[in-house]
Amino acid sequence: MINQIRLENYKCFKKLSLELSNLNVLAGINSMGKSSIIQVLLLLRQAYTNNSLDKGLHLNGDYIQLGTGFDVMNRMSEKDSFGFAIVSDKEESILKYIYEKESDYLKLDEINSSIKDSFVTGCNLFNNSFAYVSAARIGPQRYYEGSYYDVTEQNQVGIRGELFADYLAIKNDITIENAKVLHSSCKSKKLIDQVNAWLSEISPGISLTSDIDRKTGIVSLQYNLSKESYSPLNVGFGLSYVAPIVIALLKAKSDDLLIIENPEAHLHPKGQRKMGELISQAAAGGVQIIVETHSDHLLNGIRLSVKQKIIDRLKTRLNYFYRDEKEDNTFGKYYEYKKTSPQILDDGRLSDWPEGFFDEWDKALMDLF
């Protein structure tokens, strides 16, 4: 498990230290640095898949596209390098990169960096236990992509969720290993039955089936309700957006790392809360989850899970990102980007409630009344 991430001169952060646990929530209004945290991990994963982890960073690739060195270097830095430190259960690895303004490949500073084979083999970022589902997920499709290799060998549903139908078609009968995520109303431990049980929390009575035409390789999906079947094109966006996340959470095992962006997209408030509960249950089973969200309903699902003893509060970490306006003689007025970490208490309340942290509902009530 990754226990800590430290950044220096990276994007909006001059310096930042972020402690991690099993369930890690990144929150804050837009452009406060939440995505930058996730991008660090994606950059390192991208370097690993490109076999360049010990050489440098490819800023543009399958996982993430960030431009050139100019786009990732902190604009207020007076140094010619930026870097990260990743602390896992067993080791710490410090990685610094030489700044080149116009290059999309930044070389590792060998003098100021240290990465060991044991760190790579022991970190859940660098093996098939890692999965990432982005905010830019695919919507309903008439047919879906298939990749036998990515599903069977890499155990992936796709960065945009594009392989979830194929995953379900190939692995619908696998047994869920993480007992904590099993839906209470479903006796079966098979993936397909658990997926349908959780989807019914979002849209009651709904279920889905997936099939592969072996001759053409086309993957088809249909939603079932009241003995009728419907094409994904005739079902709301919410189910197509959430199905890859449900599958990713159900298939994840203890010590896996799962990064999810905006799991609440296109979901009704009840569905958002239930998603918070499912995320909490997966984390309670030992999965390490980093979730970026703007949903107070999802947060409430996590808080309720703590209150109901589904997950220990010490396995959760909330991180709220914000910025302060500063001024000095060199730069004049500028912003300093920071984070604060309120704690969830045993009764589900928060230790403190920072200004701007999911408080818009209270502000709206004040304006209304």
Side-chain angles (χ1 to χ4, degrees), residues 44 52-57 81-86 92-98 106-116 119:
L44 295 176
S52 66
L53 193 60
D54 59 345
K55 303 177 184 68
L57 287 181
S81 67
F82 70 94
F84 323 123
I86 307 293
E92 173 179 299
S93 186
I94 298 172
L95 301 163
K96 292 196 174 183
Y97 300 91
I98 300 168
L106 303 182
K107 295 180 181 178
L108 191 69
D109 183 346
E110 296 180 1
I111 297 175
N112 295 306
S113 298
S114 62
I115 185 165
K116 302 177 182 177
F119 172 79

Side-chain angles (χ1 to χ4, degrees), residues 316-352:
T316 67
R317 286 196 68 88
L318 307 180
N319 296 282
Y320 174 64
F321 293 84
Y322 65 100
R323 64 189 179 196
D324 280 341
E325 187 172 335
K326 302 286 186 179
E327 186 171 4
D328 68 14
N329 294 330
T330 303
F331 295 101
K333 289 185 179 181
Y334 66 95
Y335 287 113
E336 183 177 351
Y337 289 78
K338 301 179 179 179
K339 63 92 182 172
T340 185
S341 300
Q343 297 180 353
I344 303 178
L345 305 179
D346 286 328
D347 60 2
R349 292 182 301 161
L350 297 186
S351 59
D352 60 286

Side-chain angles (χ1 to χ4, degrees), residues 25 27 295-296 298-307 313 316-320 340-359 362:
V25 176
S295 171
D296 53 345
L298 186 139
L299 172 63
N300 288 339
I302 297 172
R303 294 169 62 195
L304 284 168
S305 296
V306 170
K307 183 176 182 179
R313 71 179 187 88
T316 67
R317 286 196 68 88
L318 307 180
N319 296 282
Y320 174 64
T340 185
S341 300
Q343 297 180 353
I344 303 178
L345 305 179
D346 286 328
D347 60 2
R349 292 182 301 161
L350 297 186
S351 59
D352 60 286
W353 207 289
E355 175 72 20
F357 183 71
F358 297 113
D359 57 4
D362 292 331

